[in-house]
């Protein structure tokens, strides 16, 4: 088994649009750290969901839902372990939040 630490993905999605940040590649397990930073001039609400491979977004997928982020603040989530095909979905109500995923891919 090989392990590689890396920057997995980074996005600043449009307002109120659930967006896939990262999908685990085939034959891979990934341990993820997720960062969110509010770059806007007002409060933003964020959502983060974890989906099984091929699954549609459901209310039971969210690990964060409408979490308030003040101007200039950031949030760090650690300990996210994902298997092949699983996805991280992100969203903010304003489009002012950037999301960055770092981690270790194990093949």
């Amino acid at each position: 088994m090989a392990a590689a630490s890396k920057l997995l993905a980074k996005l600043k999605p449009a307002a109120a649009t659930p967006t896939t940040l990262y999908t685990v590649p085939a034959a891979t397990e990934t341990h993820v750290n997720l960062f969110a930073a509010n770059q806007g001039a007002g409060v933003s609400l964020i959502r983060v969901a974890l989906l099984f491979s091929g699954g549609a977004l459901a209310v039971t997928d969210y690990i964060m839902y409408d979490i308030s982020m003040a101007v200039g603040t950031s949030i760090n989530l650690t300990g996210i372990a994902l298997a092949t095909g699983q996805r991280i979905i992100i969203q903010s109500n304003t489009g002012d939040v950037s999301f960055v995923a770092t981690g270790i891919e194990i093949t």
Side-chain angles (χ1 to χ4, degrees):
M1 293 180 74
S5 297
K6 59 175 66 176
L7 173 63
L8 301 169
K10 55 185 177 177
L11 285 174
K12 189 176 177 190
T17 305
T19 304
T20 298
L21 174 65
Y22 174 74
T23 303
V24 180
T28 304
E29 171 185 319
T30 306
H31 297 250
V32 181
N33 299 310
L34 179 63
F35 303 87
N38 183 359
Q39 300 171 15
V43 172
S44 290
L45 302 176
I46 67 165
R47 298 178 183 182
V48 177
L50 305 178
L51 270 69
F52 287 112
S53 177
L57 186 60
V59 295
T60 55
D61 295 323
Y62 287 97
I63 60 172
M64 298 181 78
Y65 195 89
D66 288 348
I67 300 299
S68 181
M69 292 187 69
V71 175
T73 62
S74 61
I75 293 175
N76 178 18
L77 295 173
T78 61
I80 301 170
L82 301 172
T84 295
Q86 293 179 333
R87 297 178 290 153
I88 299 172
I89 307 296
I90 55 171
Q91 178 180 332
S92 77
N93 68 323
T94 61
D96 294 326
V97 179
S98 61
F99 294 85
V100 177
T102 65
I104 300 170
E105 288 183 334
I106 303 166
T107 55

